Amino acid sequence: MAFILILIFITVAPRTIYANTQFQYHGGSVAKKVLPDVNSTNAMLLVNITVLNNAVFKGAVCLDGSPPAYHLHRGFGSGANRWLVHMEGGGWCYDMLSCSGRAASPLGSSLYMGDTIAFTGILSDVRSQNPDFYSWNRVMVRYCDGSSFTGDVEEVDPITKVHFRGQRIWQAVMEDLLAKGMYKARQALLTGCSAGGVTTFIHCDRFNDLLPGSAKVKCMPDAGFFIDSNDISGGNQQRFLVDQMVTLHGSSKHLPVACTSEMIPSSLCFFPQYLLQWIRTPLLVVNSAYDPLQIRFILVPAAADPNNYWRNCKMNITRCAPWQLRVMEEFTDYMISALTPVSNSRTGGLFINSCYAHCQTNVQALWHSPSSPRLYSKTIAEAAGDWYFGRSVVKYIDCPYPCDSTCNNSF
């Protein structure tokens, strides 16, 4: 049976959702692991939710038909006309069963989202935590469509009442942010992690096109470079699941046309590696070469390891045997090779470390702190600022695991 990658919260806090978390996927469920608060002396910034009730009339709704939402913390000082938009992640749903289940969670309904969310990492308003973007207008766009904001199906299943409207959510949220001042942005950065990282790849040029021609616009996907690769058994379950998801959500017509006109099937354009050659906007790709989600669900999905030879290794990289690490290295070599268009781009940037981590920019302990991972003595935040403002070229690729002593490989 094909494994369906869907994020389900075991428990949902009724009021506050914390941004400084990483998620562990266990057979379709997820356990939330809160990383140590490296700035406990600072007051936590809690940002209220904005629910776009008017978007319902445009058909821009979550899976359950509820309105979309985002959290906005206004910029100040020199950041008043600078905008950072972060797209929330959380996997995908591939069939009606998984999507209807997701519709009863914060990843499918604004009714289950908390009133506030904690802004940390790249969303922090504290200069010592977020040195280059702390004063910008910072937005967290909530993810409730299950298709990385690409779906667009008019019909609604009369039994499940599930809606597939991710593209309309994207449009409605961007229109609202433009009306609230983003239309006069001088500088802007689109970012997001995991499925939100995929969103960043797909919508990067569209985001650029929304803003003034004089604006400096760039994109920084985090943990979104999910690759089209065979697993250890020689199969390619992820390609099948992506095609199923794109078909269900009606996403093909909203994937970049330059790619879909060339690729067969067009669903391959959901994989960022096939989009890179057509993205015009400068990109900084932040990713672990040993991303645990890709190891667990692309390289070694459960169906490819029926005897559980990889179980301990997948859950804790420090338990991997030498032969397993060699298999991982071949996988990461393929990933890095697929990033060649960014490596060769004059405006592109790379921060590819060897930490066993998934989503690093919105986690304070990984983004910028005394214990953060580093490449060339730079935290991710420092490298991102150098790249965005053109202070230096950022083409950082780490040595193979376990050479990087700055990593916290406890995911």
Side-chain angles (χ1 to χ4, degrees), residues 170-249:
W170 162 267
Q171 292 171 341
V173 169
M174 292 301 128
E175 288 171 5
D176 200 64
L177 294 176
L178 288 166
K180 289 182 176 175
M182 196 170 73
Y183 74 94
K184 55 183 179 181
R186 296 177 183 173
Q187 295 174 317
L189 179 65
L190 178 66
T191 183
C193 88
S194 195
V198 176
T199 302
T200 304
F201 282 109
I202 291 171
H203 287 294
C204 180
D205 285 340
R206 292 192 185 109
F207 181 71
N208 194 349
D209 292 341
L210 291 171
L211 299 172
S214 59
K216 177 189 287 187
V217 183
K218 298 188 177 185
C219 302
M220 187 177 70
D222 172 18
F225 199 66
F226 290 89
I227 59 174
D228 177 27
S229 172
N230 288 345
D231 59 40
I232 59 171
S233 71
N236 193 324
Q237 179 178 283
Q238 191 68 10
R239 180 184 286 197
F240 168 78
L241 291 173
V242 164
D243 185 70
Q244 184 173 307
M245 184 272 294
V246 167
T247 301
L248 178 68
H249 289 262

Side-chain angles (χ1 to χ4, degrees), residues 105-375:
S105 81
L107 289 168
S109 171
S110 58
L111 301 178
Y112 294 90
M113 297 174 186
D115 293 339
T116 61
I117 194 169
F119 271 24
T120 67
I122 197 172
L123 297 172
S124 172
D125 66 338
V126 179
R127 187 171 189 171
S128 62
Q129 301 175 14
N130 189 21
D132 284 297
F133 307 109
Y134 72 97
S135 65
W136 290 32
N137 296 282
R138 298 166 328 284
V139 184
M140 166 71 86
V141 181
R142 302 305 298 272
Y143 181 38
C144 64
D145 67 276
S147 70
S148 287
F149 298 88
T150 62
D152 190 5
V153 176
E154 182 66 33
E155 297 78 16
V156 179
D157 186 278
I159 298 175
T160 65
K161 310 295 185 184
V162 171
H163 299 69
F164 301 112
R165 305 284 178 78
Q167 177 69 23
R168 299 190 201 186
I169 293 174
W170 162 267
Q171 292 171 341
V173 169
M174 292 301 128
E175 288 171 5
D176 200 64
L177 294 176
L178 288 166
K180 289 182 176 175
M182 196 170 73
Y183 74 94
K184 55 183 179 181
R186 296 177 183 173
Q187 295 174 317
L189 179 65
L190 178 66
T191 183
C193 88
S194 195
V198 176
T199 302
T200 304
F201 282 109
I202 291 171
H203 287 294
C204 180
D205 285 340
R206 292 192 185 109
F207 181 71
N208 194 349
D209 292 341
L210 291 171
L211 299 172
S214 59
K216 177 189 287 187
V217 183
K218 298 188 177 185
C219 302
M220 187 177 70
D222 172 18
F225 199 66
F226 290 89
I227 59 174
D228 177 27
S229 172
N230 288 345
D231 59 40
I232 59 171
S233 71
N236 193 324
Q237 179 178 283
Q238 191 68 10
R239 180 184 286 197
F240 168 78
L241 291 173
V242 164
D243 185 70
Q244 184 173 307
M245 184 272 294
V246 167
T247 301
L248 178 68
H249 289 262
S251 298
S252 283
K253 58 182 174 289
H254 294 300
L255 298 175
V257 175
C259 180
T260 57
S261 63
E262 297 286 337
M263 300 297 294
I264 299 174
S266 60
S267 59
L268 289 173
C269 295
F270 195 84
F271 288 99
Q273 70 198 76
Y274 301 121
L275 298 177
L276 291 181
Q277 62 181 305
W278 287 292
I279 297 176
R280 309 182 312 271
T281 307
L283 280 172
L284 171 64
V285 179
V286 177
N287 224 97
S288 169
Y290 297 80
D291 185 318
L293 262 67
Q294 298 216 45
I295 299 296
R296 296 172 190 174
F297 302 121
I298 296 180
L299 179 62
V300 196
D305 183 34
N307 295 315
N308 288 322
Y309 293 133
W310 282 77
R311 180 176 180 179
N312 290 335
C313 172
K314 289 195 299 182
M315 301 316 299
N316 187 333
I317 195 170
T318 64
R319 299 174 183 169
C320 294
W323 68 270
Q324 292 171 317
L325 291 177
R326 286 193 293 271
V327 172
M328 287 187 185
E329 286 173 19
E330 292 176 2
F331 182 73
T332 61
D333 286 345
Y334 175 65
M335 175 191 293
I336 291 168
S337 175
L339 286 165
T340 297
V342 181
S343 300
N344 293 340
S345 167
R346 181 180 58 84
T347 61
L350 296 171
F351 193 103
I352 309 298
N353 60 22
S354 294
C355 304
Y356 203 56
H358 181 74
C359 288
Q360 301 179 79
T361 60
N362 61 342
V363 180
Q364 193 63 57
L366 303 179
W367 170 247
H368 189 67
S369 76
S371 61
S372 294
R374 284 168 166 76
L375 287 179

Side-chain angles (χ1 to χ4, degrees), residues 15-17 45-51 69-74 113-119 138-140 142 180:
R15 288 291 178 186
T16 303
I17 296 177
L45 175 63
L46 300 179
V47 180
N48 290 329
I49 197 168
T50 298
V51 179
Y70 64 81
H71 303 256
L72 165 63
H73 190 256
R74 288 288 187 176
M113 297 174 186
D115 293 339
T116 61
I117 194 169
F119 271 24
R138 298 166 328 284
V139 184
M140 166 71 86
R142 302 305 298 272
K180 289 182 176 175

